[in-house]
Amino acid sequence: MHFSQLFVLTAATLVLAHPGEKHDPAALKREIHARDVQAIRAKRALDACSSSSHAVQLNQRNVARRAHTARELRKARGITANPRKWRRDLAALEEWEAIDHNKTDIYNYGPNTSPDVIFGGNTSAILAPTITDGPYYVWGEIMREDVREDQYSDGVDVFLEVQYIDVNTCRPLQGAVVDIWNANATGVYSGIVATGNDAADGWDSTYLRGIQQSNEDGIVTFQTIFPGHYEGRATHTHLLTHLNATINRNNGTLEVGTGTVTHIGQLFWNEVLRSAVEDTSPYNTNTQAVTSNAEDMWSVLQASDEYDPFPEYIYLGQGLDDGLFAWIQIGVNASADYTDNSYYNIAAYYYEDGGVENSSGSMGGGSAPSGSMPSGAMPSGTPMPSSA
């Protein structure tokens, strides 16, 4: 699909893409081109130092860590059967989805199978920061790895590992503070009150949102669910990364107005996996129209070696009921700051006594409202789910 075809298709749906999210098609086309140029440059920078000793050692640690994580997840969930051998005919897929991210087919712990075969690949995901965070970003979310809650979080469990690499140095980004958020199985976001997004508990809801800080290998991990779809956007998971942000040691959350916004990105999921997930409950109760990756305004059909927003993944067991382990490596420019970018929006702030709308309705990262700092504390009486 060419740009001309893409914008004939998506211009009519721009208003539907996140209620409240609007983009000028011509400006969006320029941003997509800029994204692709950045991706090519960043990939070249990473390739140039990929054979350095620290890069080789990092990859060795990645393989060992991912293999260990998969084993521990299977053990914690009591999975003893061999994973289901999930095959598909790549030739039958759309050309843009020819990169096979499903590692289930080669997933086993036989003595002759090297973990490098399964976990050694990096997805070279240079997600340009100009991809919008949408109108549903909430500042002050809870510092937690498991963002599932007892309510509104039913679905296919996803154990997600994200690794951030500075393309300027090829070294991991330690201390990056990463927000994650996505819609639930029926396509509804928490923390927001908007037409077409009727979240129970409105501004006070926090399900499927959270923050983690990257470790010495640039790693953050989250336990979430596979996102549900909604009309106007392809199925995706949001990530937003801060550097040099001040963490309030009293409550473990970000202090408003500190640090830089180094990366704004979205992870996408291939159509075969999405279709399999949406055959299960409660996804199959979602009545909103599906937007495919090929129809998405951000032109994710152009996935390539330079721009690859699809995490690699394995089925932990024989089916989706056992959950997925997914991982992705993201190259970012640590010296960049997109705080004033037009696609950085703060829709709401979460405080100790609940969430409040950003009344300024600002684009490009508005200033914080007056009052106390967000605490990120869980609303009283909200039970946390088990980690299993």
Side-chain angles (χ1 to χ4, degrees):
M1 180 177 292
H2 299 289
F3 270 124
S4 58
Q5 295 173 293
L6 173 70
F7 285 100
V8 167
L9 178 64
T10 62
T13 66
L14 292 181
V15 175
L16 298 175
H18 287 118
E21 180 180 350
K22 300 178 183 179
H23 299 291
D24 173 69
L28 187 61
K29 184 174 181 178
R30 291 194 297 270
E31 293 291 352
I32 291 172
H33 176 71
R35 176 202 70 189
D36 295 340
V37 171
Q38 291 175 23
I40 292 171
R41 290 174 178 171
K43 180 62 163 55
R44 288 173 180 169
L46 289 177
D47 287 346
C49 54
S50 61
S51 60
S52 65
S53 60
H54 67 80
V56 171
Q57 292 169 10
L58 178 64
N59 189 59
Q60 291 172 345
R61 294 197 299 273
N62 288 343
V63 171
R65 182 188 60 257
R66 291 165 184 164
H68 175 76
T69 298
R71 287 194 298 268
E72 291 301 305
L73 286 172
R74 285 169 50 81
K75 180 180 177 181
R77 299 169 75 84
I79 302 171
T80 57
N82 290 329
R84 181 169 66 93
K85 297 297 184 181
W86 192 67
R87 293 181 171 86
R88 60 181 178 171
D89 180 7
L90 289 181
L93 298 180
E94 297 288 344
E95 180 179 356
W96 55 266
E97 212 171 28
I99 301 172
D100 187 4
H101 300 81
N102 180 14
K103 300 301 183 181
T104 305
D105 220 18
I106 57 173
Y107 178 78
N108 65 72
Y109 294 112
N112 297 321
T113 303
S114 169
D116 294 84
V117 176
I118 308 166
F119 301 106
N122 289 320
T123 51
S124 302
I126 314 300
L127 303 184
T130 47
I131 289 185
T132 179
D133 66 356
Y136 292 168
Y137 172 58
V138 176
W139 183 291
E141 288 295 352
I142 304 161
M143 283 281 188
R144 56 181 178 177
E145 180 180 9
D146 191 343
V147 300
R148 301 167 299 173
E149 297 180 7
D150 280 354
Q151 291 185 304
Y152 319 117
S153 298
D154 292 340
V156 173
D157 289 331
V158 174
F159 302 87
L160 178 65
E161 174 193 290
V162 185
Q163 182 175 49
Y164 289 92
I165 303 293
D166 184 356
V167 299
N168 298 307
T169 64
C170 287
R171 294 184 180 274
L173 273 182
Q174 183 175 5
V177 180
V178 181
D179 286 80
I180 191 173
W181 70 102
N182 59 256
N184 70 1
T186 56
V188 178
Y189 286 89
S190 68
I192 293 297
V193 177
T195 302
N197 190 88
D198 301 320
D201 301 325
W203 304 108
D204 295 335
S205 56
T206 58
Y207 59 84
L208 305 179
R209 292 180 181 269
I211 302 175
Q212 284 284 281
Q213 190 167 22
S214 64
N215 64 16
E216 64 275 9
D217 278 340
I219 299 291
V220 293
T221 57
F222 291 100
Q223 298 182 45
T224 183
I225 68 166
F226 193 91
H229 73 267
Y230 53 90
E231 188 171 359
R233 287 301 316 280
T235 300
H236 62 279
T237 300
H238 289 274
L239 295 171
L240 189 145
T241 306
H242 308 265
L243 281 182
N244 303 311
T246 300
I247 297 178
N248 188 323
R249 297 302 176 185
N250 294 325
N251 53 41
T253 59
L254 293 183
E255 293 195 7
V256 174
T258 65
T260 60
V261 177
T262 306
H263 175 254
I264 303 171
Q266 297 174 18
L267 305 183
F268 293 88
W269 305 87
N270 71 57
E271 297 293 340
V272 174
L273 178 60
R274 181 193 60 75
S275 295
V277 168
E278 291 194 342
D279 283 340
T280 68
S281 177
Y283 297 91
N284 56 12
T285 66
N286 188 345
T287 60
Q288 299 187 67
V290 173
T291 299
S292 71
N293 287 322
E295 296 168 331
D296 189 77
M297 67 168 68
W298 279 103
S299 192
V300 295
L301 78 167
Q302 296 189 79
S304 66
D305 286 342
E306 289 81 24
Y307 175 69
D308 185 357
F310 300 97
E312 297 192 51
Y313 62 91
I314 55 172
Y315 282 41
L316 287 171
Q318 294 185 341
L320 288 168
D321 288 346
D322 291 320
L324 301 167
F325 172 44
W327 65 95
I328 193 166
Q329 185 183 79
I330 298 176
V332 299
N333 181 359
S335 62
D337 184 4
Y338 296 90
T339 304
D340 295 325
N341 189 277
S342 62
Y343 290 138
Y344 174 51
N345 314 287
I346 300 176
Y349 295 84
Y350 186 69
Y351 291 83
E352 187 171 2
D353 54 354
V356 295
E357 181 181 9
N358 180 8
S359 58
S360 68
S362 63
M363 302 285 286
S367 59
S370 59
S372 59
M373 294 294 183
S375 73
M378 179 69 75
S380 59
T382 304
M384 287 297 293
S386 66
S387 59

